[in-house]
Amino acid sequence: MDRPSPPGPSTSPRWAAASPTAPDDRDPPMRTARARHYLMCRPTHFDVVYSINPWMDPTKPVDTPLAIAQWERLREVYLNLGHTVDTIDPVPGLPDMVFAANGATVIAGRALVARFRDAERRAEGPAYHDWLRDNGFPELRTAAFTNEGEGDYLPVGDWLLAGTGFRSDPRSHDEAQEFFGRPVIGLQLVDPDYYHLDTALTALDENTVAYHPGAFSPGSRAVLERLFPDAVRASAADAAAFGLNATSDGHNVVLPQNATGLADQLRDRGFNPIGVDLSELLKAGGSVKCCTLELRRAH
C-alpha cells in the first residue's frame, strides 16, 4: 500500500486558482474533501492492439513509457491530496488492465466483480477478484451478467446510477440492486463515443453530478433532470475531451486538463479542478476515472 505524501501543489496554476464568485455574484458553496481509498494498475503492458470502442485504433503508435509517466503523475496527484492508493500487479497480455475502474464495483465492503463483454478483457475479472479477496473484501461475487464495474456503476448518495446501451447488460442492474441493497437507477447511453457511464457522467459529491446530456436517451435525460436539477451540464467539447471521466473527493475534482470549460463550471460551483494529462491512455478510450477504482469499505 502506498502512503500519501504531504499535500503539494496541483498540476498548474490555472487549476489551483482560487474560486471566483459565481456568475450571479453569490459566493459558491463550501465543499468538503473526504480522503478516498483507490486501486490502480500501472500500465506496464499498455498498448492498443485491438479495437473494442471508437477511440481505439491499432494502426496508431502507442508510447507505453509516456503512458506510464502520465499514470504516475495521476497517482502522485492522489497521494498529494491525501488519498490512499493501492496497486494491483499488471498481467502480461492484458493491455487494458490499467483501467481499474472496470474491474469491480465496491460499496460498503461488498464487491461485485466485473464480467466483461469482450473476450480481450475477460481475464481481467479473475485478476481483480483475487486481489479483492486477498486484500480484505471477503463479501465478493462475480457478476452473472455482463457488468463492467465502475465503468457503468456510479454511487451517488443512496442511489447507484447504472449505465447500459453498449456494455453492461440491463439485467445486471437488478443483480446489483439485490447485491448492494440500494436503489439502482438505469440510464441508457446512445452515443458510442460514450460507451460507459463514466465517460458521460461523474459524481461530484453525495448530491451533485456533472453529465453530458447528448450521451443519454431522452428518457434518461429526463430522469437525470428530475434527480439532479442543479447538475453541471458539460458541453460537447468538454465531453469529447473526456472531461467527465473524472474523480472527486467532494472538493477536489481530478479531470483531463483539456476540459477547460468544465473546469471553469466546477470552479464556479466551489470545486477545485485539478487538470492532468492522460492523452496517451485516451488512445484506448480511458482517462482519469477509468484508471481509478474506489474501494469503499464498510463503516
Side-chain angles (χ1 to χ4, degrees):
M1 178 185 299
D2 296 306
R3 296 299 181 187
S5 55
S10 53
T11 52
S12 73
R14 171 178 179 81
W15 302 97
S19 299
T21 55
D24 60 3
D25 293 329
R26 291 181 299 176
D27 290 334
M30 296 294 294
R31 305 291 181 180
T32 302
R34 180 173 61 82
R36 305 299 173 115
H37 187 178
Y38 293 140
L39 179 63
M40 300 179 69
C41 182
R42 191 173 188 269
T44 305
H45 309 294
F46 177 70
D47 203 350
V48 178
V49 293
Y50 49 77
S51 180
I52 58 174
N53 69 56
W55 302 84
M56 304 179 83
D57 183 350
T59 67
K60 292 183 178 178
V62 170
D63 186 338
T64 302
L66 177 57
I68 292 171
Q70 292 177 346
W71 179 90
E72 290 284 5
R73 177 56 186 148
L74 174 62
R75 175 177 165 275
E76 178 186 10
V77 167
Y78 287 149
L79 295 175
N80 285 344
L81 289 171
H83 303 315
T84 298
V85 179
D86 287 349
T87 55
I88 181 174
D89 292 336
V91 176
L94 297 178
D96 282 342
M97 194 171 167
V98 59
F99 300 128
N102 301 149
T105 306
V106 184
I107 302 173
R110 296 173 65 85
L112 186 59
V113 180
R115 181 176 295 277
F116 287 89
R117 181 197 68 173
D118 297 293
E120 293 87 346
R121 299 197 65 184
R122 284 178 192 154
E124 294 178 39
Y128 280 97
H129 177 282
D130 292 349
W131 189 95
L132 290 162
R133 180 199 61 207
D134 296 341
N135 286 271
F137 294 90
E139 292 188 81
L140 78 166
R141 175 192 302 173
T142 295
F145 300 103
T146 300
N147 167 337
E148 301 206 339
E150 281 200 332
D152 272 330
Y153 285 89
L154 296 175
V156 183
D158 292 331
W159 295 313
L160 183 59
L161 304 184
T164 190
F166 298 101
R167 295 294 183 87
S168 295
D169 189 318
R171 292 174 294 179
S172 71
H173 296 182
D174 289 340
E175 181 182 17
Q177 181 166 283
E178 287 300 312
F179 184 69
F180 292 116
R182 64 169 57 200
V184 171
I185 308 296
L187 298 169
Q188 183 79 22
L189 298 162
V190 295
D191 185 334
D193 282 350
Y194 307 107
Y195 57 93
H196 273 153
L197 183 63
D198 72 352
T199 67
L201 183 149
T202 188
L204 297 170
D205 61 24
E206 294 296 298
N207 304 297
T208 314
V209 303
Y211 68 97
H212 174 46
F216 296 93
S217 68
S220 294
R221 287 200 303 272
V223 169
L224 289 169
E225 289 166 4
R226 179 182 292 267
L227 293 179
F228 307 104
D230 196 37
V232 176
R233 290 167 176 78
S235 69
D238 285 327
F242 251 50
L244 291 161
N245 196 244
T247 60
S248 174
D249 62 16
H251 176 230
N252 302 290
V253 182
V254 184
L255 74 166
Q257 64 182 15
N258 289 339
T260 56
L262 179 58
D264 288 340
Q265 289 180 273
L266 294 171
R267 193 177 294 109
D268 288 343
R269 299 291 192 97
F271 294 99
N272 177 44
I274 301 172
V276 294
D277 180 8
L278 290 180
S279 54
E280 204 62 23
L281 292 170
L282 186 55
K283 292 178 179 179
S287 191
V288 175
K289 175 56 189 170
C290 287
C291 292
T292 312
L293 174 61
E294 185 167 353
L295 302 177
R296 303 174 186 85
R297 295 188 180 271
H299 296 298

